[in-house]
Amino acid sequence: MDDMRKWRPLGIKNRYWVLLFIILGFIGARLYWPVLPHIQLPAERYSNTPLFTLPIIGPFYWTNTLTAVVIADIILLLIALAVRRAISSGKLVPSGIVGALEAILEGIFNLTETTAGRWTKAIFPFFATITLLVLVVNWMELIPGVDSIGFLEHSEHGYPREQLLPNVFTIVNEEVEHGAEEGQSGELFMVIPFVRVASTDLNFTVALALISVFMVQVIGYRALGGNYFTKFINVKGLFSRPIFGVIDFGVGFLELISEISKILSFSFRLFGNIFAGTVLLFVIGSLVPVFFQSMFLMLEFFVGIIQALVFGMLTMVFMAQATAGHGDHDEGHAH
Amino acid sequence: MDVEAAKLIGAGLAMIGTIGAGLGIGVLVNGAVQGIARNPDASGAVQTNMILGIAFAEAVAIYCLVVALLILFVG
């Protein structure tokens, strides 16, 4: 903590840095008034020629959200290497990012232990992996340049462009542009970002949700064996206890539906939160570009943490429920 | 009425569903805070379950949001 207080780049106090950036923000907003970007649900493709085509699934394109996932993976790998170096250096008290990671993982481990009991070792890796990946992916929306730097592409409802450097252009707001200049340039452009936050692509969230729900079934099978699937197709009491047997059978069917709805709610929860967050940042940035954006970045910071934790925690809780027996089984109280 | 206007109205109407989620989260946090106030030792477990419950209640609001976004930005 003491190091943080003394941290004073170029000998300027932090509050004056903040003031400097606010003034720079004013100047920047006067020069180039921010543009509301074109908001589009599916991820943008880098090129319209597919990388390769799979027989049944269809063509495969490299999209900008895929780049974001690759970058997030690289960040996680670098963190893993840093942890490895910190462990092999022999220091008992980790510092910096390794210390932060240790705190996060310890919290996650304790949470898993209180819920999952003796299945902690099987469940913890999924919880930690999903949480860390989603956290890194969500926080990428806070980095300047993500969602805003990219190719220019012709578009009907775009904006005119202006040259800054050779081969470097910026799109400018129509209202600032004068009518005469607009008539000269004529062409309208929109930005196809190089990197777009991966959680704003349904493919990413659906893939995570499918992995999560599938592994819930696998862990349930590991814990209870074949008995696990009697949760879904419950024919045990169908003939011995006619009325309640039929009710149990119906409940099993409902369980099957609830597993499917888990996939839906997992994927749409993450997607909806983060996509709404990026749209919020776009709109606020184009309306009040200077000061308010920072507050909403703070909000999105917390939304990123909470959604990552919720995704991981729900996976963990579903897995813990799957390991605990159900109904009239004697393993009902596993912990 | 042209299609654009109908789309905007539809997106607004879709977001009405968030009333339920808001009420639900309010009731949930009310219960959790009362529980923590009566038994501060249990705050860890109560908080975990509260966040889970909020996630479930919020999911409904997120469905509304997704529907609204689909209406606005798709097709």
Side-chain angles (χ1 to χ4, degrees):
Chain A
M1 257 332 215
D2 284 340
D3 290 346
M4 286 300 287
R5 263 178 219 163
K6 277 183 219 143
W7 191 70
R8 197 179 281 178
L10 300 179
I12 305 173
K13 282 182 181 170
N14 284 345
R15 69 191 83 153
Y16 295 117
W17 274 113
V18 173
L19 193 67
L20 183 72
F21 282 123
I22 290 177
I23 293 170
L24 275 179
F26 270 114
I27 296 171
R30 290 303 300 171
L31 279 178
Y32 294 105
W33 188 261
V35 175
L36 180 66
H38 177 70
I39 296 162
Q40 171 187 346
L41 212 50
E44 291 93 349
R45 294 162 183 165
Y46 282 158
S47 71
N48 279 325
T49 52
L51 282 181
F52 55 84
T53 307
L54 292 175
I56 302 165
I57 303 166
F60 180 90
Y61 298 96
W62 190 275
T63 58
N64 46 12
T65 48
L66 199 53
T67 315
V69 177
V70 170
I71 291 173
D73 286 345
I74 290 171
I75 291 172
L76 283 175
L77 279 178
L78 289 180
I79 292 174
L81 285 178
V83 170
R84 184 195 148 112
R85 192 170 345 118
I87 289 174
S88 58
S89 76
K91 273 195 298 181
L92 283 180
V93 182
S95 60
I97 195 163
V98 182
L101 203 72
E102 188 185 321
I104 295 172
L105 287 185
E106 204 179 321
I108 290 177
F109 190 83
N110 288 336
L111 198 63
T112 318
E113 214 166 26
T114 54
T115 315
R118 67 193 182 91
W119 287 94
T120 308
K121 286 230 166 74
I123 294 175
F124 170 70
F126 295 103
F127 187 3
T129 310
I130 289 177
T131 307
L132 287 179
L133 177 65
V134 176
L135 191 66
V136 171
V137 159
N138 284 355
W139 276 352
M140 278 175 82
E141 80 179 290
L142 307 175
I143 302 172
V146 173
D147 279 329
S148 58
I149 299 176
F151 307 106
L152 280 180
E153 197 168 82
H154 288 276
S155 162
E156 284 176 19
H157 30 255
Y159 298 91
R161 68 175 180 181
E162 199 177 302
Q163 193 158 22
L164 293 178
L165 297 168
N167 287 323
V168 178
F169 295 91
T170 180
I171 52 174
V172 290
N173 205 322
E174 284 166 312
E175 288 156 16
V176 178
E177 198 80 344
H178 298 297
E181 281 175 271
E182 205 178 324
Q184 282 167 11
S185 58
E187 296 168 290
L188 298 177
F189 295 90
M190 66 178 196
V191 178
I192 305 290
F194 289 133
V195 181
R196 178 176 142 180
V197 186
S199 325
T200 61
D201 188 352
L202 257 180
N203 292 313
F204 174 74
T205 58
V206 168
L208 264 189
L210 281 174
I211 292 169
S212 157
V213 172
F214 180 72
M215 288 318 290
V216 168
Q217 317 308 322
V218 169
I219 285 199
Y221 181 74
R222 261 181 67 189
L224 301 177
N227 273 341
Y228 177 70
F229 295 105
T230 58
K231 181 166 116 183
F232 302 123
I233 303 164
N234 195 349
V235 288
K236 222 182 277 166
L238 207 53
F239 301 107
S240 55
R241 297 175 300 157
I243 296 170
F244 289 105
V246 169
I247 292 175
D248 280 350
F249 188 76
V251 168
F253 189 66
L254 285 182
E255 289 273 356
L256 201 62
I257 293 175
S258 90
E259 290 298 310
I260 294 166
S261 77
K262 270 176 200 169
I263 300 175
L264 268 182
S265 74
F266 260 139
S267 50
F268 279 119
R269 182 182 302 121
L270 183 60
F271 166 77
N273 268 296
I274 303 303
F275 189 74
T278 52
V279 171
L280 184 71
L281 287 182
F282 290 163
V283 172
I284 290 295
S286 65
L287 287 178
V288 192
V290 178
F291 189 68
F292 279 75
Q293 180 107 5
S294 315
M295 298 181 200
F296 285 95
L297 282 175
M298 196 73 201
L299 179 77
E300 286 310 306
F301 180 83
F302 286 116
V303 169
I305 299 181
I306 289 173
Q307 287 313 312
L309 259 184
V310 160
F311 203 115
M313 209 195 285
L314 283 177
T315 307
M316 183 267 285
V317 168
F318 290 150
M319 282 176 175
Q321 280 174 357
T323 58
H326 46 274
D328 40 11
H329 287 291
D330 42 357
E331 305 112 313
H333 305 285
H335 52 93
Chain B
M1 186 159 53
D2 61 341
V3 179
E4 275 305 306
K7 267 187 185 176
L8 292 175
I9 293 171
L13 286 178
M15 291 305 284
I16 288 177
T18 53
I19 293 172
L23 285 174
I25 291 173
V27 170
L28 234 154
V29 176
N30 171 27
V33 169
Q34 278 186 356
I36 292 174
R38 287 185 189 179
N39 186 5
D41 288 342
S43 64
V46 173
Q47 259 169 14
T48 310
N49 287 319
M50 182 188 78
I51 292 175
L52 278 182
I54 289 177
F56 284 123
E58 193 201 40
V60 179
I62 296 299
Y63 296 153
C64 298
L65 187 71
V66 169
V67 169
L69 291 174
L70 287 175
I71 293 173
L72 280 182
F73 299 122
V74 173

